[in-house]
Amino acid sequence: MPKLIIDDIEVEVPAGTSVLEAARSVGITIPHFCYHPALAIAAACRLCAVKMLDGPVKGIQMSCALPAQDGMVVSTTDPDALKMRKLVIEWLMINHPHDCPVCDEGGECLLQDFTIAGGHGIRRYQGKKRTHVNQYLGEGIYHEMNRCIQCYRCVRFYQEYAGGTDFGVTGCAGRVYFGRFDDGPLESPFSGNLVDICPTGVFTDKTGRFRARYWDYQYAPSICPHCSAGCNLSPQAYHREVIKIVARRNDEVNGWFICDRARFDKSDLNDPLRPRQALVDGSPVEWEAALNALATRLREFVQSHGADSLALVGSTRLSLEAGILLAELAARYKGVRLCYFIDPAEAQLSLSKVEWVPAGMAASQAELREADFIAILPCDLMEESPMIALAIRQAFVKGAKVYLVAPHLTALNLERLPFQVQVVPELADVPLGEAKRGIVVAGAGFADLKGLEAVPTGVKFVLLQPGPNSFGAALLAREYRAVPLREAIASGKVKGILALETDLPEELRQGLTFFAAADWRNNGAAEPASVFLPTSAWAETGGTWINYEGRAQRYRQAYKTGLPLRGLPARYYGSQEAEPPAHPPRVHRAVAPGGDTRSAWMLVAELIFKLTGEPAAEPYAGKWAPLKHIDPEGPGMRLPAELLAG
Amino acid sequence: MISEQLKKSLQQRVETAITPREAAVDVMKELQRHYGWLTDEAVGEAGELLGLSPLQVEELATFYEKIYRRPVTGKLIQVCDSISCWSGCCDGIIEHLKKRLDVELGGSSADGKFTLVPCCCLGRCGDAPVMVIGETFYGNLTPEKVDQILEKER
């Protein structure tokens, strides 16, 4: 472990750590553009200059490309280093347009920060600036090439990290250009990360352009709802509308990046037709009135039909907290049907995957990135969980052998995978016995768990699940002896359903005498429900989801629910008839229009109180107590063995 | 379109390389000889031969200044303006060439015989100032020598 001195502070770091990272470990940020921890070293920007006062190398050095060594004495504040950095900034700014006020990156721009930090303020260069023609890169990303400072982060990410081939760097010297061969949408499903890693405004998020500044956003640590990988991200909201979604670093899970579906698919949250109004028999009422009606009707229903005619239905996207409370509500009515899954096969499969993987043998994305043998069982990874494929690519680049088990190759699209695979007909053909860090990857649809029995011990598993909290739902279903809804209905007794954030197939609502629903998604549940209660979406509330590996991750509320300010309907401006004025409503109200919602867990807690007169119990008690304190900004928590065991 | 024969010989060239990328310059040069410049079509063909995307070929093609991604009129005169030739007064030679051909740098002469471009070091600094016409190298240039060469090359 080399020991060195940086700005009079003694630092000891693992061998191979760069001077830049060593300085960062003691809280000294050395300005840098091209350096990115997830990417190969380019040493292209020359900004991270430090002065080596003593040790094996001396003088001005690039701290990103210099491994820390014993006896180094580093100064980040030496006048020579400061002057170098100032001149580099001035040089990088020579061609950079002074368009910060109209640039979407303004306020969250590394170039802005380090230009100020470097002390460059007055432009001396009088010549003409280099200019480029921008390209159309699809509906996700806006290209503004004039802002480029040639740090090569984008191309290193796109080609080396993500394995894309349609975007790169052309030209040389002063004509260096980052783009495609010709105009067209970027093909990589990870292209959106260019927005995050570009240190300036060459790539900006087209889906949220010119809507708000960095300091306007409300945001919070959150988790992606699109698959079971549990990638960390942060929704950025302004005036109750999610403008952008950015990746959030979690070295155990997604690293620094997210896929384009996670980043660009905000349609559910911003859907203007999202149900936001509490309804009783289709008529708008206050939240409280709807909850009262729900409690009354539930009570009446149970009295006249019996508790075993009622099904309380959660889902694989419902937070763990709401799921636990739903079980508590069910416990108050003996015989009531508690459901977390609709389909029996899915319920069975989710639980058997949870139970099949021996404790500690589920592989995280971080472990995937370090694997040396990977066997992928038939699934379309790029469709199902692109980030898993990106993690496999990192292992592949480091020399891992990747096998695809495919009895019928025709159904699989190998072209899209960002790594090369060796196709074998059966899992037995993969020499997993040779693996030191072997991992078997299977999609959510994979059901042949028996076939995995031959896998040698020591090999870990990635068994994907269909929903962001399928793992949690399976645990809940086992713990509280829940039944899948179809099975409950097949018994012929179920006459009433309370669906909590559940996408219920229409045919399951047929023949019910009572149907109530609570959801934030526009999935058609509000209309047929006799009582409908709008809930807050994942980005608008806190909660916990458990990803495919059994990692519980907490998400926080990013913003308060409500109709986005943009496009507010006329009735919120005081009068139905009058022309809507160009400013927000001046009707005095305690909550924002469309914001009279509750988190699903709070709804259940309130319902328990209404029905029993007693407050609901703390969800993180008893068996679930270890999950109480999960840091939303930490790596999450792998479930302890006693929670995994039945 | 390239002939089957050329395609075959290029395929052989690619096969002998340890990595296909290594053969990229040779392939691009052959295609350039065939088309006169590296057309978009040629970029696509090079990509297919090398197993690269068109963009990845473009990355290499635009890096090397002797691969032309635009049509070249007549013979190409590349005159070095790097430091050794500059010390040997290439400025005077460039001015002379401009006057003789009546073109600016990057332009083609009225008779369509020559195109004049500056270029980076040609690796023959001992003979500075130097230029290349087509694939013929000329060193120790003087204005008189340039006139003779132009007469010969025309």
Side-chain angles (χ1 to χ4, degrees), chain A residues 159 165-172 179-181, chain B residues 21 40 43 53-56 58-59 62-63 69:
Chain A
Q159 290 204 9
T165 57
D166 64 317
F167 170 92
V169 52
T170 58
C172 67
R180 279 171 49 89
F181 185 66
Chain B
R21 247 172 219 267
D40 284 3
V43 169
S53 70
L55 179 269
Q56 286 170 324
E58 178 86 339
E59 288 183 319
T62 54
F63 180 82
R69 285 289 281 116

mmCIF file of all heavy atoms in Angstrom, chain A residues 159 165-172 179-181, chain B residues 21 40 43 53-56 58-59 62-63 69:
data_model
loop_
_atom_site.group_PDB
_atom_site.id
_atom_site.type_symbol
_atom_site.label_atom_id
_atom_site.label_comp_id
_atom_site.label_asym_id
_atom_site.label_seq_id
_atom_site.Cartn_x
_atom_site.Cartn_y
_atom_site.Cartn_z
ATOM 1 N N GLN A 159 -18.283 3.326 -26.901
ATOM 2 C CA GLN A 159 -17.694 2.183 -27.595
ATOM 3 C C GLN A 159 -17.061 1.186 -26.633
ATOM 4 O O GLN A 159 -17.257 -0.011 -26.760
ATOM 5 C CB GLN A 159 -16.656 2.658 -28.614
ATOM 6 C CG GLN A 159 -17.301 3.379 -29.792
ATOM 7 C CD GLN A 159 -16.444 3.337 -31.052
ATOM 8 O OE1 GLN A 159 -15.443 2.652 -31.119
ATOM 9 N NE2 GLN A 159 -16.856 4.091 -32.054
ATOM 10 N N THR A 165 -21.368 0.808 -31.637
ATOM 11 C CA THR A 165 -20.457 0.975 -32.774
ATOM 12 C C THR A 165 -20.878 2.106 -33.702
ATOM 13 O O THR A 165 -20.222 2.363 -34.697
ATOM 14 C CB THR A 165 -20.392 -0.312 -33.615
ATOM 15 O OG1 THR A 165 -21.713 -0.646 -34.043
ATOM 16 C CG2 THR A 165 -19.807 -1.476 -32.824
ATOM 17 N N ASP A 166 -21.977 2.763 -33.386
ATOM 18 C CA ASP A 166 -22.480 3.760 -34.342
ATOM 19 C C ASP A 166 -22.186 5.195 -33.905
ATOM 20 O O ASP A 166 -22.660 6.137 -34.510
ATOM 21 C CB ASP A 166 -23.996 3.581 -34.540
ATOM 22 C CG ASP A 166 -24.764 3.844 -33.265
ATOM 23 O OD1 ASP A 166 -24.308 3.372 -32.209
ATOM 24 O OD2 ASP A 166 -25.800 4.524 -33.312
ATOM 25 N N PHE A 167 -21.415 5.358 -32.861
ATOM 26 C CA PHE A 167 -21.058 6.700 -32.401
ATOM 27 C C PHE A 167 -19.579 6.669 -32.059
ATOM 28 O O PHE A 167 -19.090 5.706 -31.458
ATOM 29 C CB PHE A 167 -21.876 7.059 -31.160
ATOM 30 C CG PHE A 167 -21.424 8.325 -30.472
ATOM 31 C CD1 PHE A 167 -21.996 9.541 -30.817
ATOM 32 C CD2 PHE A 167 -20.417 8.296 -29.523
ATOM 33 C CE1 PHE A 167 -21.569 10.702 -30.198
ATOM 34 C CE2 PHE A 167 -19.992 9.462 -28.908
ATOM 35 C CZ PHE A 167 -20.572 10.668 -29.244
ATOM 36 N N GLY A 168 -18.874 7.719 -32.453
ATOM 37 C CA GLY A 168 -17.451 7.717 -32.156
ATOM 38 C C GLY A 168 -16.820 9.056 -32.449
ATOM 39 O O GLY A 168 -17.507 10.080 -32.546
ATOM 40 N N VAL A 169 -15.504 9.040 -32.622
ATOM 41 C CA VAL A 169 -14.767 10.286 -32.818
ATOM 42 C C VAL A 169 -14.125 10.257 -34.189
ATOM 43 O O VAL A 169 -13.449 9.301 -34.547
ATOM 44 C CB VAL A 169 -13.727 10.501 -31.702
ATOM 45 C CG1 VAL A 169 -12.835 9.302 -31.516
ATOM 46 C CG2 VAL A 169 -12.894 11.753 -31.970
ATOM 47 N N THR A 170 -14.366 11.315 -34.967
ATOM 48 C CA THR A 170 -13.767 11.408 -36.296
ATOM 49 C C THR A 170 -12.861 12.626 -36.357
ATOM 50 O O THR A 170 -12.917 13.505 -35.500
ATOM 51 C CB THR A 170 -14.856 11.520 -37.376
ATOM 52 O OG1 THR A 170 -15.647 12.670 -37.095
ATOM 53 C CG2 THR A 170 -15.741 10.296 -37.394
ATOM 54 N N GLY A 171 -12.061 12.675 -37.413
ATOM 55 C CA GLY A 171 -11.163 13.807 -37.616
ATOM 56 C C GLY A 171 -9.957 13.720 -36.707
ATOM 57 O O GLY A 171 -9.761 12.757 -35.959
ATOM 58 N N CYS A 172 -9.120 14.734 -36.776
ATOM 59 C CA CYS A 172 -7.974 14.796 -35.881
ATOM 60 C C CYS A 172 -7.646 16.259 -35.631
ATOM 61 O O CYS A 172 -8.246 17.148 -36.215
ATOM 62 C CB CYS A 172 -6.777 14.027 -36.447
ATOM 63 S SG CYS A 172 -6.092 14.767 -37.917
ATOM 64 N N GLY A 179 -19.519 12.096 -33.036
ATOM 65 C CA GLY A 179 -20.857 11.931 -33.595
ATOM 66 C C GLY A 179 -20.994 10.617 -34.320
ATOM 67 O O GLY A 179 -20.228 9.683 -34.094
ATOM 68 N N ARG A 180 -21.992 10.576 -35.198
ATOM 69 C CA ARG A 180 -22.270 9.365 -35.969
ATOM 70 C C ARG A 180 -21.749 9.520 -37.390
ATOM 71 O O ARG A 180 -21.335 10.587 -37.805
ATOM 72 C CB ARG A 180 -23.780 9.136 -36.000
ATOM 73 C CG ARG A 180 -24.349 8.485 -34.760
ATOM 74 C CD ARG A 180 -25.864 8.514 -34.826
ATOM 75 N NE ARG A 180 -26.344 8.022 -36.116
ATOM 76 C CZ ARG A 180 -26.600 6.739 -36.374
ATOM 77 N NH1 ARG A 180 -26.471 5.843 -35.450
ATOM 78 N NH2 ARG A 180 -27.026 6.362 -37.569
ATOM 79 N N PHE A 181 -21.830 8.434 -38.157
ATOM 80 C CA PHE A 181 -21.445 8.493 -39.569
ATOM 81 C C PHE A 181 -22.384 9.443 -40.301
ATOM 82 O O PHE A 181 -21.967 10.256 -41.103
ATOM 83 C CB PHE A 181 -21.507 7.089 -40.173
ATOM 84 C CG PHE A 181 -21.012 7.018 -41.582
ATOM 85 C CD1 PHE A 181 -19.684 7.260 -41.863
ATOM 86 C CD2 PHE A 181 -21.882 6.716 -42.619
ATOM 87 C CE1 PHE A 181 -19.226 7.191 -43.184
ATOM 88 C CE2 PHE A 181 -21.426 6.652 -43.925
ATOM 89 C CZ PHE A 181 -20.095 6.887 -44.201
ATOM 90 N N ARG B 21 -8.505 -4.404 -37.620
ATOM 91 C CA ARG B 21 -8.250 -2.974 -37.622
ATOM 92 C C ARG B 21 -6.873 -2.629 -38.182
ATOM 93 O O ARG B 21 -6.658 -1.575 -38.797
ATOM 94 C CB ARG B 21 -8.315 -2.430 -36.194
ATOM 95 C CG ARG B 21 -9.482 -1.491 -35.954
ATOM 96 C CD ARG B 21 -9.563 -1.181 -34.465
ATOM 97 N NE ARG B 21 -10.942 -1.134 -34.037
ATOM 98 C CZ ARG B 21 -11.644 -0.010 -33.993
ATOM 99 N NH1 ARG B 21 -11.101 1.128 -34.334
ATOM 100 N NH2 ARG B 21 -12.892 -0.035 -33.583
ATOM 101 N N ASP B 40 -18.422 7.293 -49.785
ATOM 102 C CA ASP B 40 -19.267 6.712 -48.737
ATOM 103 C C ASP B 40 -19.449 5.212 -48.973
ATOM 104 O O ASP B 40 -19.435 4.408 -48.049
ATOM 105 C CB ASP B 40 -20.644 7.386 -48.718
ATOM 106 C CG ASP B 40 -20.583 8.763 -48.074
ATOM 107 O OD1 ASP B 40 -19.457 9.179 -47.714
ATOM 108 O OD2 ASP B 40 -21.633 9.407 -47.925
ATOM 109 N N VAL B 43 -16.464 3.463 -47.815
ATOM 110 C CA VAL B 43 -16.432 3.341 -46.350
ATOM 111 C C VAL B 43 -17.248 2.131 -45.914
ATOM 112 O O VAL B 43 -16.816 1.328 -45.085
ATOM 113 C CB VAL B 43 -16.970 4.633 -45.679
ATOM 114 C CG1 VAL B 43 -17.195 4.412 -44.193
ATOM 115 C CG2 VAL B 43 -16.014 5.787 -45.900
ATOM 116 N N SER B 53 -18.119 -0.973 -38.122
ATOM 117 C CA SER B 53 -19.262 -0.188 -38.566
ATOM 118 C C SER B 53 -18.742 0.944 -39.452
ATOM 119 O O SER B 53 -17.572 1.307 -39.365
ATOM 120 C CB SER B 53 -20.008 0.379 -37.357
ATOM 121 O OG SER B 53 -19.226 1.375 -36.731
ATOM 122 N N PRO B 54 -19.594 1.518 -40.324
ATOM 123 C CA PRO B 54 -19.146 2.651 -41.148
ATOM 124 C C PRO B 54 -18.512 3.751 -40.297
ATOM 125 O O PRO B 54 -17.505 4.352 -40.685
ATOM 126 C CB PRO B 54 -20.430 3.129 -41.812
ATOM 127 C CG PRO B 54 -21.329 1.951 -41.821
ATOM 128 C CD PRO B 54 -20.969 1.137 -40.610
ATOM 129 N N LEU B 55 -19.100 3.994 -39.115
ATOM 130 C CA LEU B 55 -18.562 5.052 -38.253
ATOM 131 C C LEU B 55 -17.130 4.710 -37.834
ATOM 132 O O LEU B 55 -16.253 5.578 -37.833
ATOM 133 C CB LEU B 55 -19.472 5.208 -37.034
ATOM 134 C CG LEU B 55 -19.149 6.224 -35.946
ATOM 135 C CD1 LEU B 55 -18.314 5.676 -34.826
ATOM 136 C CD2 LEU B 55 -18.617 7.530 -36.458
ATOM 137 N N GLN B 56 -16.898 3.448 -37.526
ATOM 138 C CA GLN B 56 -15.550 3.082 -37.075
ATOM 139 C C GLN B 56 -14.530 3.208 -38.206
ATOM 140 O O GLN B 56 -13.368 3.521 -37.960
ATOM 141 C CB GLN B 56 -15.573 1.662 -36.490
ATOM 142 C CG GLN B 56 -16.246 1.643 -35.121
ATOM 143 C CD GLN B 56 -16.518 0.246 -34.602
ATOM 144 O OE1 GLN B 56 -16.849 -0.655 -35.366
ATOM 145 N NE2 GLN B 56 -16.389 0.065 -33.298
ATOM 146 N N GLU B 58 -14.935 5.460 -40.592
ATOM 147 C CA GLU B 58 -14.842 6.920 -40.708
ATOM 148 C C GLU B 58 -13.857 7.493 -39.680
ATOM 149 O O GLU B 58 -13.110 8.428 -39.979
ATOM 150 C CB GLU B 58 -16.235 7.531 -40.524
ATOM 151 C CG GLU B 58 -16.298 9.049 -40.564
ATOM 152 C CD GLU B 58 -16.421 9.605 -41.984
ATOM 153 O OE1 GLU B 58 -16.074 8.884 -42.936
ATOM 154 O OE2 GLU B 58 -16.859 10.761 -42.108
ATOM 155 N N GLU B 59 -13.873 6.934 -38.478
ATOM 156 C CA GLU B 59 -12.951 7.391 -37.435
ATOM 157 C C GLU B 59 -11.510 7.324 -37.923
ATOM 158 O O GLU B 59 -10.721 8.240 -37.724
ATOM 159 C CB GLU B 59 -13.092 6.526 -36.174
ATOM 160 C CG GLU B 59 -14.366 6.741 -35.401
ATOM 161 C CD GLU B 59 -14.410 5.915 -34.111
ATOM 162 O OE1 GLU B 59 -14.004 4.738 -34.124
ATOM 163 O OE2 GLU B 59 -14.849 6.448 -33.105
ATOM 164 N N THR B 62 -10.857 9.623 -41.349
ATOM 165 C CA THR B 62 -10.718 11.064 -41.160
ATOM 166 C C THR B 62 -9.506 11.405 -40.314
ATOM 167 O O THR B 62 -9.123 12.562 -40.224
ATOM 168 C CB THR B 62 -11.975 11.647 -40.495
ATOM 169 O OG1 THR B 62 -12.233 10.914 -39.299
ATOM 170 C CG2 THR B 62 -13.173 11.560 -41.416
ATOM 171 N N PHE B 63 -8.908 10.401 -39.696
ATOM 172 C CA PHE B 63 -7.699 10.678 -38.912
ATOM 173 C C PHE B 63 -6.492 10.840 -39.825
ATOM 174 O O PHE B 63 -5.651 11.690 -39.607
ATOM 175 C CB PHE B 63 -7.459 9.540 -37.917
ATOM 176 C CG PHE B 63 -6.225 9.743 -37.078
ATOM 177 C CD1 PHE B 63 -6.265 10.564 -35.959
ATOM 178 C CD2 PHE B 63 -5.021 9.150 -37.425
ATOM 179 C CE1 PHE B 63 -5.135 10.768 -35.197
ATOM 180 C CE2 PHE B 63 -3.876 9.352 -36.660
ATOM 181 C CZ PHE B 63 -3.934 10.164 -35.544
ATOM 182 N N ARG B 69 -11.683 11.881 -48.077
ATOM 183 C CA ARG B 69 -13.118 11.637 -47.999
ATOM 184 C C ARG B 69 -13.892 12.571 -48.912
ATOM 185 O O ARG B 69 -15.107 12.607 -48.887
ATOM 186 C CB ARG B 69 -13.593 11.765 -46.545
ATOM 187 C CG ARG B 69 -13.214 10.591 -45.671
ATOM 188 C CD ARG B 69 -14.006 9.334 -46.000
ATOM 189 N NE ARG B 69 -15.355 9.363 -45.412
ATOM 190 C CZ ARG B 69 -16.446 9.376 -46.118
ATOM 191 N NH1 ARG B 69 -16.401 9.362 -47.431
ATOM 192 N NH2 ARG B 69 -17.609 9.401 -45.509
#
